[in-house]
Amino acid sequence: GAGVSQSPSNKVTEKGKDVELRCDPISGHTALYWYRQSLGQGLEFLIYFQGNSAPDKSGLPSDRFSAERTGGSVSTLTIQRTQQEDSAVYLCASSLEGLMNTEAFFGQGTRLTVV
Amino acid sequence: KNEVEQSPQNLTAQEGEFITINCSYSVGISALHWLQQHPGGGIVSLFMLSSGKKKHGRLIATINIQEKHSSLHITASHPRDSAVYICAVRSYGGSQGNLIFGKGTKLSVKP
């Protein structure tokens, strides 16, 4: 596609339910990143993929969070047993190479609300 | 103390004014990014710097590695420049995507 696409754009879920957030990066971009922006907070790093591998998943806040990437393309961020503190905008970005060499292109984000 | 500090937090300017947003960081870095986040939430990458200065249209970004400081300048500001501007750094030894973000500077340009 022309840009990074995220779905859904908005998700309201009940506490305790599992959610899956999807990211379609720009075609050909080998690097993919997930970030989170909580209300009133700055952006925080969650996980970074190079191809299908995740060299850095240090930002995942708990073992309820997981992510995978298949075919070097689409990535899914899964949050199990959602809690109210998980409410945030989840942003995905991709770049042609790593962020040392190329700029990142961001999706519009998924706004997750846990009620 | 945050590792990346931006100032000011909020900035209101009149159309046509020259604007400067500052970013100071406390860690050794290999790259610094300036991002723009519009009211709808979409984020656009403006610049990636590791040294010196870059210019794109009315936007200029500079970085001083020794002083651990970067500035984003907007010349001839326009209401469409109204957005949150975010500074982010990649620290030495950090992975490619592990950016440390500032809290952003909210810019409002009045016509």
Side-chain angles (χ1 to χ4, degrees), chain A residues 15 17 20 22-23 41 43 49 54 63 69 73 75 81 97 100 105 113:
Chain A
K15 179 180 169 181
K17 294 280 177 70
E20 282 190 355
R22 178 186 168 106
C23 173
Q41 302 294 316
L43 284 153
F49 285 94
D63 59 7
R69 189 179 185 196
S73 181
S75 176
R81 305 180 303 281
E97 300 173 12
M100 265 298 291
F105 294 81
T113 304

Side-chain angles (χ1 to χ4, degrees), chain B residues 3-44:
Chain B
E3 290 167 302
V4 180
E5 296 273 2
Q6 288 186 235
S7 63
Q9 283 186 298
N10 292 280
L11 180 56
T12 300
Q14 287 298 127
E15 183 172 357
E17 285 185 2
F18 180 84
I19 288 162
T20 295
I21 298 170
N22 296 298
C23 175
S24 296
Y25 50 91
S26 56
V27 296
I29 70 167
S30 51
L32 181 143
H33 298 254
W34 280 103
L35 310 172
Q36 180 191 54
Q37 185 170 31
H38 281 283
I43 293 178
V44 174

Side-chain angles (χ1 to χ4, degrees), chain A residues 35 37 45 56 99-100 104, chain B residues 37 48 90 95-98:
Chain A
Y35 301 99
Q37 188 171 37
F45 165 79
D56 187 352
L99 289 178
M100 265 298 291
Chain B
Q37 185 170 31
M48 180 187 63
R90 176 178 174 268
S95 73
Q96 295 283 0
N98 197 340

